[in-house]
Amino acid sequence: MSRPGALITIGALIALLASACGGPPEASPQVNEAWRSCEAEPAVDAASPLPRLDDSFAPVAAIVCFTGPARRADGGESQVATESRADDITSLLAALRLKDERRTNGACTLELPVIPRLVLLDRDGRWITPGIPQDSCGKVRVEVRRAVGDLRLTPVSSRPVRELESAEAARTGCGQHRADMIGATIAMGTRSGSKTGLLPAGAGAVRMCVYRVPADQQGSGKPAGDFLSGRALSGREWAAAKAAIENAPAAKDCTTHAGRFTVLLTGGDDVYVELDGCERLLAGSFLGQSSRALQDLLAKSN
């Protein structure tokens, strides 16, 4: 406290008021100039808590920026960034004005619910990023999640960010990416199992999917391949491949990493065959050595 008769400074007065009220007054959200787009306006760093919505800003609409998978007309899939607008935001504003719940001393679940990037616009097109009320576990309050989920959104724009699955990978049923299980098995040091009952009897249509292993994946603990091609094997081709797999000897000692491999989708255990490098195969838990006949058959088939 100041001495009797002494003048108190503005800073000291603010400090006294803050102390009496339990802390410094909350700041208002930063008001930005006219909104351009989700792509043009960088997202606010969410590492620090953002100021909550107060009466200093009058929102009339919300912009939701969302990135997620979308299936294309050609059957492939892309990661797409979408910007949408909502004009009826009464329930959303009520949820954003809720207080944080008192933190619990009990246990909390491990899931971390999130909401898309959210900005609020006023009548002049200016915008803010509001702070989000938290529940007793420090997660987004359920009222906010519900309010965002209930928004009637009108798409403004969308753009593909990257391809997740090519049309050909989707058409063949192969998938765009697949783990190189031979490389992973070798990296884990797993011992080869028995080849008894390797393949299901009378397997139906068998698909062959070919993948390329990028150089930076080769020799890693969990190598993965990118789709190259795929098709169904004929009954004659599968019969020949099945015989070669079941007659394969144990894999030879070899340290060369494969740059390409194929997966035979049999309806039972998938069979992996390296198309270069050590040319090993993996059927079930059996790690074997593929034959020249099998390599030639698979080479003709892709």
Side-chain angles (χ1 to χ4, degrees):
M1 295 293 291
S2 58
R3 297 189 305 275
L7 293 176
I8 186 167
T9 66
I10 294 297
L13 177 60
I14 292 175
L16 284 172
L17 290 174
S19 176
C21 296
E26 289 189 7
S28 296
Q30 176 182 331
V31 179
N32 303 281
E33 295 303 320
W35 174 258
R36 294 175 294 171
S37 68
C38 295
E39 183 179 8
E41 303 291 359
V44 176
D45 183 7
S48 301
L50 296 171
R52 299 295 170 77
L53 177 64
D54 59 19
D55 294 334
S56 67
F57 187 81
V60 299
I63 295 291
V64 175
C65 307
F66 176 75
T67 301
R71 189 63 62 179
R72 303 191 306 269
D74 65 3
E77 189 175 46
S78 294
Q79 191 83 348
V80 176
T82 302
E83 177 175 335
S84 301
R85 177 183 173 116
D87 292 297
D88 182 1
I89 58 172
T90 303
S91 297
L92 174 63
L93 296 182
L96 290 174
R97 288 191 169 103
L98 293 172
K99 301 294 185 182
D100 286 347
E101 293 180 347
R102 183 183 297 274
R103 288 297 180 94
T104 180
N105 291 324
C108 290
T109 55
L110 295 178
E111 82 278 1
L112 186 62
V114 296
I115 59 173
R117 180 187 175 192
L118 178 70
V119 300
L120 302 176
L121 307 181
D122 70 5
R123 293 189 182 279
D124 297 322
R126 300 181 306 166
W127 62 280
I128 66 168
T129 301
I132 305 298
Q134 298 180 348
D135 66 13
S136 59
C137 288
K139 305 175 184 180
V140 178
R141 283 190 63 151
V142 66
E143 297 90 343
V144 177
R145 285 182 272 146
R146 288 172 180 165
V148 173
D150 290 342
L151 288 173
R152 292 195 293 271
L153 296 173
T154 300
V156 174
S157 65
S158 65
R159 61 182 180 87
V161 177
R162 62 186 178 91
E163 184 175 69
L164 299 177
E165 184 177 38
S166 69
E168 182 68 7
R171 184 189 66 78
T172 57
C174 290
Q176 189 65 34
H177 306 286
R178 184 174 287 267
D180 173 7
M181 292 305 299
I182 296 179
T185 298
I186 297 298
M188 290 186 295
T190 305
R191 296 182 63 183
S192 177
S194 169
K195 65 175 178 178
T196 303
L198 286 181
L199 301 174
V206 174
R207 293 195 307 278
M208 184 184 74
C209 305
V210 181
Y211 295 87
R212 178 184 64 83
V213 184
D216 61 351
Q217 289 282 313
Q218 297 176 26
S220 65
K222 296 180 179 180
D226 300 323
F227 175 80
L228 286 176
S229 65
R231 73 172 183 87
L233 295 182
S234 69
R236 179 178 297 179
E237 288 172 330
W238 169 237
K242 184 174 183 289
I245 293 165
E246 292 180 333
N247 290 320
K252 300 176 183 178
D253 290 336
C254 179
T255 58
T256 305
H257 305 301
R260 291 188 309 135
F261 68 92
T262 190
V263 184
L264 302 178
L265 306 179
T266 69
D269 286 332
D270 295 338
V271 179
Y272 292 76
V273 183
E274 295 175 328
L275 298 179
D276 55 21
C278 298
E279 297 185 345
R280 294 164 294 205
L281 63 84
L282 180 67
S285 62
F286 173 68
L287 185 64
Q289 189 68 44
S290 66
S291 64
R292 178 47 48 195
L294 179 59
Q295 288 289 325
D296 290 343
L297 172 64
L298 296 178
K300 293 177 182 177
S301 300
N302 61 57

